Amino acid sequence: MATQYEISGTTAKGIAGSVERGVTEGALPPGAALPPVRRLADELGVSPGTVATAYKELRRRGIVVTRGRGGTVVAPAPAVASRRPPKVPEGLRDLAGGHPDPALLPALVPPSRLSPGTRAHRSTPRLARLEDAVRDWLGADGIPVEHVTFAHGALDLIGRVLSVELRPGDGVAMEDPGYHHLLDLVTALGLRMVPVAVDDEGMRPDALRMALRAGVRAVVFSPRAQNPYGGCFSAARRDALADSLRGESDVLVVENDHASEVADAPLHTVTGAGLARWVHVRTVSKFLGTDLRWAAAACDPVTLARHDGRLLLTSGWVSHLLQETVHGLMTDEGTRGLVARARETYALRRTALAGELAAQGIASHAASGMNLWVPVRDESAAVNGLRSYGWWVAAGARFRLASAPGVRITAADLEPAEAKRLASDFATVLGESEATYGG
């Protein structure tokens, strides 16, 4: 219970502000339980309705969640504080971050041409040559490219289109397990997440149909290198998903192709399937550099207008200096060769680890991308057990909504020779866990 932090206030706004301060300052950590409505009302000398209104506002803003009989608790990733990954303990091999191998990224050299003086960037927010390169890039995979736009990374773009399309409380169909930063973002926007199960071919059509019947207003999925599960659309899966979405004119479909060039899987996109509202998003952070906060998107004309209208009122445009850097790398033959080598290397490392785990009798999911999802009975036992052997992996809890436990292992810089030792250590840890907790 939240007994070490004294909530104050005599109005709904004041009570909500007091809770928010406690969360921001760390006095109310994620998972901390708030007092029941009637008890807090008695303590503060206000009506239960006042406290209920405060809690409702906190829920709308993604600061707290209600768990039925479990009461109201601080959200796992409250919107008032960014959830950073846990610090990697000294001396451990970090396989938890989800990042590319730095050795397979090009050197970032800013262009020598800087924007001369003051220019009307709002009137020309996109460099024409980069826009042409993006149309070639996306169009080669069959994506309609009549309408394209840029943003400051995939999350920036997805957050913007969701915020202009949806209202707090609207439902969003999300992959489960799914990318934790996307899950946090949807919560922070005050939207309601509807979990949709995934498998090795991505989002499952039967689960998507259930979400659509529940009245979701948007669907967010990855067509390949799904994070953390690794699934990728087959042509048949793409067709089945498109059949479910076709005719849902009020549903915005967000296709997040975050790993694109290094996914080691062909793109089977739903964007050319006659959908009314759609956006295909790509970023370059996985293969050009994690510090390149830039994303491109192709979309329907209504989504383009709404996204660009909101962008115009906020940052206005994506830095032309950044655009020049991205264009230089995208059109450089040497960089293209490095990206091709990265794609092959990530596939080799991922499949090597999956093979070694299978040899130990450990199932994993790793159809594409840089990560493997390994189902386990007890996430804490697996993470702490591997830590004792010098490995640091990501517990699956922050990726899951309603799916079964697991851990995510990033194999981007794990050499095949290391995979054998990791798999052996994993098998030992699972054996120790079963001996302790039962099989």
Side-chain angles (χ1 to χ4, degrees):
M1 300 295 290
T3 57
Q4 296 183 355
Y5 179 79
E6 186 174 345
I7 299 172
S8 61
T10 57
T11 65
K13 183 177 181 180
I15 295 168
S18 175
V19 172
E20 182 172 345
R21 284 193 299 274
V23 173
T24 302
E25 295 167 0
L28 291 174
L34 301 187
V37 169
R38 290 190 178 276
R39 195 178 86 194
L40 183 58
D42 288 342
E43 292 174 357
L44 298 177
V46 300
S47 71
T50 298
V51 176
T53 299
Y55 282 11
K56 181 179 179 180
E57 173 63 14
L58 291 165
R59 283 195 301 273
R60 185 188 70 79
R61 296 181 50 226
I63 297 174
V64 304
V65 294
T66 299
R67 294 177 173 169
R69 294 183 178 180
T72 299
V73 303
V74 177
V80 296
S82 59
R83 176 174 61 172
R84 291 174 173 80
K87 186 177 181 180
V88 180
E90 187 175 350
L92 297 189
R93 184 75 162 82
D94 182 13
L95 303 177
H99 303 304
D101 184 347
L104 296 172
L105 297 174
L108 297 184
V109 181
S112 58
R113 298 191 307 273
L114 299 180
S115 300
T118 301
R119 289 167 46 188
H121 287 67
R122 289 179 187 270
S123 63
T124 55
R126 293 183 292 274
L127 295 179
R129 52 186 168 278
L130 181 55
E131 197 168 332
D132 290 342
V134 164
R135 284 195 165 92
D136 291 342
W137 183 30
L138 303 182
D141 285 321
I143 299 165
V145 292
E146 183 178 358
H147 307 285
V148 300
T149 190
F150 303 160
H152 303 92
L155 288 173
D156 175 64
L157 192 145
I158 293 172
R160 190 173 294 110
V161 297
L162 291 180
S163 69
V164 298
E165 292 288 340
L166 279 64
R167 295 295 177 265
D170 284 347
V172 182
M174 302 292 293
E175 296 168 325
D176 184 23
Y179 182 39
H180 58 100
H181 288 310
L182 262 177
L183 302 182
D184 294 349
L185 174 62
V186 170
T187 298
L189 292 173
L191 304 173
R192 175 173 51 88
M193 289 188 291
V194 178
V196 179
V198 301
D199 59 23
D200 290 331
E201 293 186 61
M203 187 174 275
R204 284 171 37 188
D206 58 333
L208 174 60
R209 287 191 292 271
M210 290 179 61
L212 292 170
R213 286 197 293 270
V216 297
R217 293 289 314 285
V219 178
V220 182
F221 51 46
S222 297
R224 50 185 172 179
Q226 194 272 344
N227 189 357
Y229 210 84
C232 54
F233 292 173
S234 63
R237 174 61 55 86
R238 182 268 320 278
D239 293 344
L241 293 172
D243 286 343
S244 299
L245 293 166
R246 201 174 291 114
E248 299 284 349
S249 58
D250 292 332
V251 175
L252 175 66
V253 178
V254 180
E255 189 172 74
N256 180 23
D257 192 20
H258 67 98
S260 61
E261 297 304 295
V262 289
D264 184 41
L267 176 68
H268 295 290
T269 177
V270 302
T271 58
L275 305 183
R277 301 299 311 284
W278 61 273
V279 56
H280 176 94
V281 187
R282 283 191 189 177
T283 184
V284 296
S285 59
K286 296 298 184 186
F287 57 93
L288 293 185
T290 55
D291 203 36
L292 287 178
R293 310 315 299 167
W294 175 87
C299 51
D300 67 87
V302 173
T303 300
L304 177 79
R306 292 179 178 177
H307 172 273
D308 285 7
R310 180 63 61 87
L311 179 66
L312 182 68
L313 295 172
T314 53
S315 59
W317 66 90
V318 176
S319 161
H320 282 198
L321 179 60
L322 175 59
Q323 292 187 49
E324 290 277 16
T325 303
V326 172
H327 180 265
L329 291 170
M330 288 183 68
T331 56
D332 177 68
E333 288 298 325
T335 300
R336 289 176 177 172
L338 180 61
V339 171
R341 182 161 68 90
R343 180 171 57 249
E344 296 169 358
T345 302
Y346 294 146
L348 174 65
R349 292 172 179 174
R350 186 188 72 248
T351 55
L353 179 55
E356 294 292 351
L357 289 171
Q360 295 287 344
I362 302 172
S364 65
H365 299 277
S368 60
M370 303 178 183
N371 302 303
L372 296 88
W373 180 259
V374 185
V376 296
R377 181 177 180 273
D378 186 305
E379 291 179 3
S380 295
V383 171
N384 291 327
L386 286 171
R387 175 177 179 172
S388 69
Y389 285 89
W391 307 102
W392 185 246
V393 302
R398 60 180 177 164
F399 302 93
R400 298 187 291 109
L401 296 173
S403 54
V407 297
R408 189 192 72 173
I409 303 175
T410 300
D413 63 349
L414 184 74
E415 295 291 349
E418 299 177 283
K420 188 177 186 67
R421 180 169 67 88
L422 172 58
S424 176
D425 291 342
F426 208 150
T428 301
V429 166
L430 293 180
E432 292 172 346
S433 176
E434 286 195 5
T436 301
Y437 300 106

